[in-house]
Amino acid sequence: MRRRRKVQRFQLQQDRKIIGAKWFVKGYQAEYGKMNTTDIHEYMSARDAVGHGTHTASTAAGALVPDASFRGLASGVARGGAPRARLAVYKVCWATGDCTSADILAAFDAAIHDGVDVLSVSLGQAPPLPAYVDDVLAIGSFHAVVRGITVVCSAGNSGPYSETVINSAPWVLTVAAGTIDRTFLAKITLGNNSTYVGQTMYSGKHAATSMHIVYAEDVSSDNADDTDAR
């Protein structure tokens, strides 16, 4: 009976994880005009159409998920940084890839007014960084920190190259991306029977047939540049 009650309480926590959601589009519409949702997959609501918001929310406050894995690799319990936290969501970015300063500042104001304890912000602009007085995230986070709210920002996606850290204002916690502590090995046997060991993120089975080796740049997709292909 005790086990059953624990499971019920855990399920109740999952069902009540998101306690609020707001969306901000007036700044976008003032800058770009009315969004044409017939050409892109988007919702004129707080619903996440791209997946970035869901991904970052689960990283920050995802509940415990047993037996999680990536296609069978790295199986274990997955959880966010604060699995018992509740979520209030503020959507400011859209499927077009645009997030306007006006909408971002409006979301900061709303979060401050709502009385959140922590703000997790996975936004930023590429270097070179503007001065803090011109950086919308630095400005918004400053107003939140002054009111006792901890602001956590991402360091960006351009590392490990030098001078690529974003959100460097001294009043925010800037968090770098991590990595896993395991490698997943795979063997490739060439036509001359030479075998090479490398790493893979795919553990599926291949048909017993030979395939040509190609250079990645030669088979890149239309929307990938040479660096991405490599």
Side-chain angles (χ1 to χ4, degrees), residues 164-175:
T164 57
V165 171
I166 62 174
N167 296 318
S168 58
W171 48 84
V172 302
L173 296 177
T174 304
V175 182

Side-chain angles (χ1 to χ4, degrees), residues 69-74 184-188 199-209 211:
S69 70
F70 179 79
R71 297 180 178 179
L73 296 174
F184 308 104
L185 302 180
K187 294 181 180 180
I188 293 178
Q199 297 184 39
T200 183
M201 292 300 291
Y202 176 73
S203 58
K205 294 182 178 180
H206 292 280
T209 184
M211 299 181 183

Side-chain angles (χ1 to χ4, degrees), residues 181-193:
D181 59 355
R182 283 163 287 179
T183 58
F184 308 104
L185 302 180
K187 294 181 180 180
I188 293 178
T189 302
L190 302 183
N192 61 0
N193 289 326

Side-chain angles (χ1 to χ4, degrees), residues 65-70 72-78:
V65 179
D67 299 322
S69 70
F70 179 79
L73 296 174
S75 179
V77 177

Side-chain angles (χ1 to χ4, degrees), residues 1 21 28 33 55 59 70 77 99 114 121 136 139 150 153 170 227:
M1 292 298 293
Y28 177 95
H55 157 64
T59 301
F70 179 79
V77 177
C99 327
D114 293 342
V121 186
V136 62
I139 295 169
T150 300
C153 293
T227 300

Side-chain angles (χ1 to χ4, degrees), residues 96-111:
T96 59
D98 299 300
C99 327
T100 66
S101 297
D103 289 334
I104 292 173
L105 289 177
F108 269 109
D109 287 343

Side-chain angles (χ1 to χ4, degrees), residues 23-30 33 35 44 91-92 94 100 103:
W23 51 292
F24 303 84
V25 75
K26 290 182 178 179
Y28 177 95
Q29 291 176 337
M35 189 180 306
M44 296 304 292
K91 177 180 175 180
V92 298
W94 301 89
T100 66
D103 289 334

